[in-house]
């Protein structure tokens, strides 16, 4: 069974919003109690939080499906539904979250850092919140919105100041064990290290972290060995150290060829890692034959721009000098880092001509698609089994200007209109002002709308005539105020007024 996991695909699902409820207060001696349906609760979020006590992604390997709680529906007596519980995923520092296509969503560094990975859906409004002067007792409520759901690729990139790379059995794990309190597995066979190891080193007043990865071999960039799989753990390192096995007995290997092969594999994985390879550690100099090779390989390695340190992880020789040299390199890197920029909040005002939606025409299918946050949200919140809710949606879209925009784009009665995942037949709504207040709003019995099944739909010329008709009361009021009434000012049939 795997004990260390540094890359997983997690299926995250935020909670759905709770539905609003349509309820009427009923109590003895209170015949007009009014609407009292409560709102639904918001769905819970899926949140990532950096926890210093977590060092692997093993929990998500066993439980790849993570879902937040759903919001509770509203109830009568103006009782709102409870908010869904958040799902907090605790991850190690250095966790990178991306989409399956490679787009980075979040890079989490620092204990306690939190980011909302998937937002919960909004709860629907109850009929108490939808009541107004025209619709005093709505017979419908809004539905809760679904929460966000997608696949997230979570990778762990260890945060270390110094990274150790080299061939298998070069002594990288022994070096970390000798310079820190870490106790990785050490044995006399290749690929003893199967997972990255991390240790904390103190040199004077400087404290830095050191990490190593499984050994690299020629062809690692093509998938050979284990090192390529874990190279992501040294991407954040300020300094890379090549640990050279000075006591190897393998034919065809020498320190210079080992470094050349290592640089090639690093360049194949990520080119900028080669520039961080600054130090060469000649390990196992406690072996007599290995000590004799130090003077032969020092000059060629220094000509490559590497600082050379002969050490012995077994006896501790040269480790103090190496520790202070690495501490100085780390301090130099930290001093060169730019100052963190202050957090600035940028407020972008909405453009004057921004209607909040767009209308796109599909000439092949002869349909129109309306895109926008508000229209798509309103469609998701609508219960299409309730005629009054459908009429309410039509009124909202009309007030937003969707209907006028469709007509300007060339939409004709009967054309297909797509908003979100729902397709409609375009039928202009009844213009306000031609009928009574209740009829103009399409009101009838609770849960119904007189416009839904009307046998006759208003044409464009009728809408224009209705618009002109609305001006008559205003003109009459002006005539009354001025005291200049004539027969021509009176509407037809009112000559006896």
């Amino acid at each position: 069974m795997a004990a260390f996991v540094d890359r997983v695909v997690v299926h995250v699902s935020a909670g759905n919003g709770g539905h609003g409820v349509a309820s009427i207060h009923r109590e003895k001696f209170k015949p007009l109690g009014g609407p009292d349906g409560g709102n639904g609760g918001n769905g819970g979020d899926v949140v990532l939080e950096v926890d210093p006590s977590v060092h692997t992604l093993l929990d998500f390997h066993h439980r790849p499906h993570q879902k937040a709680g759903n919001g509770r529906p509203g109830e009568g007596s103006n009782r709102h539904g409870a908010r869904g519980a958040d799902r907090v995923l605790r991850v190690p520092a250095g966790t990178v979250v991306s989409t399956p296509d490679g787009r980075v969503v979040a890079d989490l560094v620092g204990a306690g850092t939190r980011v909302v990975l998937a937002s919960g859906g909004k709860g629907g409004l109850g009929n108490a919140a939808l009541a107004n002067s025209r619709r005093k007792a709505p017979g419908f409520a809004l539905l809760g919105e679904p929460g966000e759901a997608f696949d997230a690729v979570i990778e762990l990139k260890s945060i270390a100041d110094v990274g150790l790379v080299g061939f298998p059995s070069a002594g990288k794990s022994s070096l970390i064990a000798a310079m820190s309190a870490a106790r990785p597995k050490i044995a006399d066979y290749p690929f003893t290290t199967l997972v990255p190891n991390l240790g904390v080193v103190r040199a004077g007043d400087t404290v830095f972290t050191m990490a190593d990865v499984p050994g690299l071999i020629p062809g690692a960039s093509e998938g050979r060995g284990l090192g390529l799989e874990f190279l992501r753990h040294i991407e954040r390192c300020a300094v890379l150290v090549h640990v050279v096995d000075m006591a190897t007995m393998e034919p065809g290997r020498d320190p210079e060829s080992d470094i050349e092969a290592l640089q090639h594999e690093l360049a194949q994985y990520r080119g900028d890692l080669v520039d961080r390879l600054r130090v060469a550690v000649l390990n196992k100099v406690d072996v007599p034959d290995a000590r004799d090779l130090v003077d032969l390989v020092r000059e060629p390695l220094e000509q490559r721009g590497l600082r050379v340190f002969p050490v012995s992880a077994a006896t501790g020789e040269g480790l103090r000098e190496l520790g202070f040299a690495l501490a100085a390199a780390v301090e130099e890197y930290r001093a060169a880092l730019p100052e963190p920029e202050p957090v600035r909040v940028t407020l972008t005002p909405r453009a004057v001509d921004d209607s909040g939606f767009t209308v796109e025409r599909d000439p092949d299918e002869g349909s129109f698609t309306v895109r926008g946050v508000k229209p798509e949200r309103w469609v998701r919140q609508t219960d299409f089994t309730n005629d009054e809710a459908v009429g309410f949606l039509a009124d909202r879209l009309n007030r937003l200007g969707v209907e006028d925009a469709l007509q300007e784009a060339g939409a004709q009665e009967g054309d297909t209109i797509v908003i979100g995942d729902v397709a409609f037949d375009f039928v202009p709504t009844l213009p306000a002002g031609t009928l009574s207040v209740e009829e103009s709003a399409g009101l009838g019995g609770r849960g119904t709308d007189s416009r839904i099944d009307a046998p006759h739909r208003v044409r464009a010329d009728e809408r224009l005539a209705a618009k002109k008709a609305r001006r008559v009361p205003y003109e009459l009021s002006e005539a009354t105020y001025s005291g200049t009434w004539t027969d021509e000012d009176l509407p037809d049939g009112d000559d006896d007024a």
Side-chain angles (χ1 to χ4, degrees):
M1 183 179 66
F4 180 86
V5 177
D6 62 350
R7 186 182 187 278
V8 292
V9 178
V10 181
H11 313 281
V12 295
S13 300
N16 300 328
H19 299 330
V21 66
S23 173
I24 298 297
H25 183 70
R26 301 184 183 277
E27 187 176 348
K28 191 175 182 181
F29 305 120
K30 290 185 179 181
L32 301 177
D36 65 348
N39 303 334
N42 295 336
D45 301 330
V46 178
V47 182
L48 294 181
E49 181 178 359
V50 175
D51 188 344
S53 64
V54 178
H55 305 285
T56 178
L57 303 177
L58 184 62
D59 289 344
F60 308 124
H61 174 73
H62 295 300
R63 292 187 292 273
H65 296 271
Q66 300 290 338
K67 189 179 188 310
N70 295 329
R72 300 289 298 173
E75 299 180 9
S77 300
N78 292 307
R79 290 176 292 180
H80 302 318
R83 188 182 188 278
D86 292 340
R87 182 67 172 176
V88 180
L89 309 182
R90 307 194 183 279
V91 296
T95 298
V96 177
V97 185
S98 59
T99 58
D101 58 2
R103 180 177 60 87
V104 176
V105 177
D107 191 346
L108 304 177
V109 178
T113 303
R114 291 170 62 96
V115 63
V116 177
L117 186 58
S119 299
K122 299 293 184 182
L125 297 179
N127 66 342
L130 298 173
N132 54 34
S133 59
R134 293 189 304 170
R135 185 180 280 107
K136 298 183 181 299
F140 69 99
L142 298 185
L143 304 179
E145 295 185 67
E148 295 180 340
F150 58 92
D151 292 343
V153 180
I154 303 180
E155 294 181 291
L156 173 59
K157 298 182 179 181
S158 300
I159 300 178
D161 300 304
V162 177
L164 304 181
V165 293
F167 274 68
S169 298
K172 300 183 296 298
S173 299
S174 300
L175 196 61
I176 283 187
M179 299 183 67
S180 70
R183 292 296 176 264
K185 181 180 180 180
I186 299 173
D188 58 350
Y189 54 84
F191 296 110
T192 306
T193 301
L194 299 178
V195 299
N197 297 309
L198 194 67
V200 179
V201 181
R202 176 182 294 275
D205 296 332
T206 303
V207 178
F208 60 93
T209 54
M210 179 183 295
D212 78 320
V213 297
L216 293 173
I217 60 176
S221 59
E222 300 174 358
R224 296 186 60 190
L226 298 175
L228 179 65
E229 183 179 352
F230 298 101
L231 278 177
R232 65 174 66 95
H233 294 279
I234 62 172
E235 290 183 8
R236 302 176 187 267
C237 295
V239 180
L240 294 183
V241 177
H242 186 184
V243 181
V244 182
D245 184 1
M246 299 296 292
T248 181
M249 303 300 293
E250 295 182 21
R253 280 187 54 189
D254 60 79
E256 191 170 1
S257 63
D258 285 359
I259 289 184
E260 185 173 350
L262 177 70
Q263 289 179 336
H264 173 75
E265 300 304 328
L266 291 178
Q268 291 293 319
Y269 176 75
R270 185 168 159 177
D272 62 331
L273 293 180
V274 179
D275 299 332
R276 306 184 202 176
L277 193 63
R278 304 180 185 177
V279 178
V281 172
L282 308 182
N283 195 19
K284 303 181 182 179
V285 295
D286 54 297
V287 178
D289 293 341
R291 188 179 298 275
D292 296 338
L293 294 176
V294 171
D295 295 334
L296 297 177
V297 302
R298 180 189 295 271
E299 185 175 354
L301 297 182
E302 290 178 346
Q303 290 178 354
R304 291 177 173 267
L306 300 174
R307 298 184 62 184
V308 180
F309 291 89
V311 302
S312 172
T315 64
E317 179 183 349
L319 297 183
R320 178 179 175 82
E321 293 78 3
L322 174 62
F324 279 99
L326 294 178
V330 170
E331 288 291 344
E332 180 182 354
Y333 172 79
R334 292 173 179 173
L337 291 176
E339 291 291 332
E341 296 184 0
V343 178
R344 297 180 179 180
V345 178
T346 303
L347 300 179
T348 304
R350 178 178 171 181
V352 176
D353 58 346
D354 183 10
S355 61
F357 66 92
T358 59
V359 176
E360 302 175 4
R361 182 173 186 175
D362 189 345
D364 297 332
E365 298 184 3
S367 62
F368 296 82
T369 302
V370 179
R371 303 184 188 278
V373 176
K374 286 185 177 180
E376 294 178 12
R377 172 179 293 175
W378 293 344
V379 168
R380 290 194 299 267
Q381 293 176 332
T382 301
D383 178 9
F384 287 95
T385 63
N386 187 303
D387 289 348
E388 189 177 357
V390 176
F392 179 71
L393 171 64
D395 293 337
R396 299 177 87 181
L397 295 176
N398 192 15
R399 288 195 299 269
L400 186 63
V402 173
E403 190 169 309
D404 293 337
L406 287 170
Q407 290 180 338
E408 292 177 1
Q412 301 294 328
E413 184 173 348
D415 288 346
T416 301
I417 310 299
V418 179
I419 305 178
D421 297 330
V422 182
F424 306 87
D425 290 333
F426 181 56
V427 179
T429 58
L430 197 63
T434 59
L435 298 173
S436 65
V437 174
E438 290 77 7
E439 290 174 325
S440 66
L443 301 181
R446 295 184 63 243
T448 64
D449 192 298
S450 60
R451 296 168 296 180
I452 301 300
D453 298 322
H456 172 69
R457 299 294 185 179
V458 180
R459 300 190 304 272
D461 56 343
E462 294 176 331
R463 291 169 56 84
L464 181 60
K467 184 176 181 181
K468 293 180 178 180
R470 290 199 301 269
R471 301 175 183 172
V472 172
Y474 174 76
E475 295 171 354
L476 291 178
S477 63
E478 288 293 323
T480 303
Y481 179 77
S482 62
T484 58
W485 277 76
T486 65
D487 292 341
E488 297 178 355
D489 294 326
L490 295 176
D492 295 339
D494 290 342
D495 295 338
D496 297 334

